[in-house]
Amino acid sequence: MTPDKLAYMANQIATAFARLPDDEAEAAIAAHIDQFWDPRMRARLLSLAESPKTGLSDRARGAAALIRRPETA
């Protein structure tokens, strides 16, 4: 999956929680990604969030700090 597609998907999730305050939205985004995303997708998103110009919304980037880190092999 391309970085643009991952950013797009994370931003869609962030939009779904737009009505919540920032801290609650970031927790909800992270919970959703933890529950439904494959560990490889989570790892790629976390790498993406480390770069400043990736197309991630502020809330999606903030949620990255709360996402469960995939176990390494």
Side-chain angles (χ1 to χ4, degrees):
M1 184 167 300
T2 68
D4 288 342
K5 180 65 174 174
L6 284 174
Y8 176 78
M9 291 170 59
N11 290 339
Q12 282 185 307
I13 296 165
T15 299
F17 295 108
R19 62 179 167 61
L20 298 176
D22 286 341
D23 58 338
E24 291 178 35
E26 290 171 1
I29 295 161
H32 179 90
I33 289 171
D34 282 341
Q35 185 174 3
F36 295 107
W37 284 29
D38 175 280
R40 294 168 296 180
M41 290 172 65
R42 290 196 324 264
R44 289 181 188 141
L45 180 65
L46 293 172
S47 294
L48 192 65
E50 292 174 2
S51 299
K53 296 185 180 191
T54 57
L56 286 175
S57 68
D58 290 340
R59 284 185 167 193
R61 188 177 302 284
L66 305 174
I67 292 171
R68 187 176 67 242
R69 296 329 189 229
E71 294 180 19
T72 57

